[in-house]
Amino acid sequence: MKAKHQRLVLAGLALVAIGGASGLALSALKDQAAFFYAPGDVAKQGLPLGRDVRLGGMVAGGSLKRLPDGVTIDFTVTDGKATVPVRFKGITPDLFKERSGVVAEGRFNPDGSFTATNLLAKHDERYMPPQMAGLKPAGPTRAQ
């Protein structure tokens, strides 16, 4: 076999190997991907049943209820357009409270409620830890 043909065969094998690796990676990621929905999206598009998704919005004021078992909470997520009732069993993040941002990971139930397996509390970009509240942020200085 000529050197030119060997290079073509090796290049072809390399392309097939890259394509196979890409296909395997995409099929593995397909099962791990969690789609993000807001309550308004769910109201428009319907319930995405049978798969893990993320539900994001604000915890509605007055909706947070702790059940007697001490680890289960019920609350409502809203985006101003629609609301979704959520149930979570576990330890909540420190920043989780009413009228704050939240991303809940879990599944929708056929009745329209959401069962969360994980909660992620969101804060705005102006958040400053209490220990740093008196300090001014460092910024660029102006040379004169």
Side-chain angles (χ1 to χ4, degrees):
M1 187 180 280
K2 292 183 181 179
K4 182 178 180 181
H5 288 112
Q6 281 183 327
R7 283 193 300 266
L8 286 173
V9 168
L10 287 175
L13 288 174
L15 286 175
V16 168
I18 289 172
S22 299
L24 286 173
L26 289 175
S27 70
L29 288 176
K30 179 177 64 172
D31 295 335
Q32 298 298 318
F35 295 97
F36 183 86
Y37 291 91
D41 297 335
V42 175
K44 275 192 252 177
Q45 301 170 5
L47 294 174
L49 296 174
R51 63 180 176 174
D52 289 333
V53 296
R54 289 182 175 178
L55 175 69
M58 300 292 284
V59 178
S63 70
L64 188 58
K65 309 260 187 300
R66 297 195 183 273
L67 275 61
D69 68 1
V71 293
T72 304
I73 59 170
D74 289 333
F75 60 96
T76 303
V77 174
T78 183
D79 64 353
K81 299 174 189 168
T83 61
V84 174
V86 178
R87 175 166 281 189
F88 173 70
K89 185 173 186 172
I91 299 171
T92 60
D94 291 338
L95 294 174
F96 179 79
K97 60 184 178 184
E98 292 180 351
R99 295 184 183 90
S100 68
V102 66
V103 174
E105 297 175 340
R107 289 181 176 235
F108 279 97
N109 301 313
D111 65 356
S113 66
F114 188 82
T115 302
T117 56
N118 190 22
L119 288 182
L120 305 169
K122 298 188 324 184
H123 60 79
D124 65 6
E125 63 277 355
R126 297 180 308 260
Y127 174 76
M128 186 173 290
Q131 300 87 342
M132 307 271 304
L135 300 176
K136 292 183 179 179
T141 58
R142 225 160 115 186
Q144 296 198 22

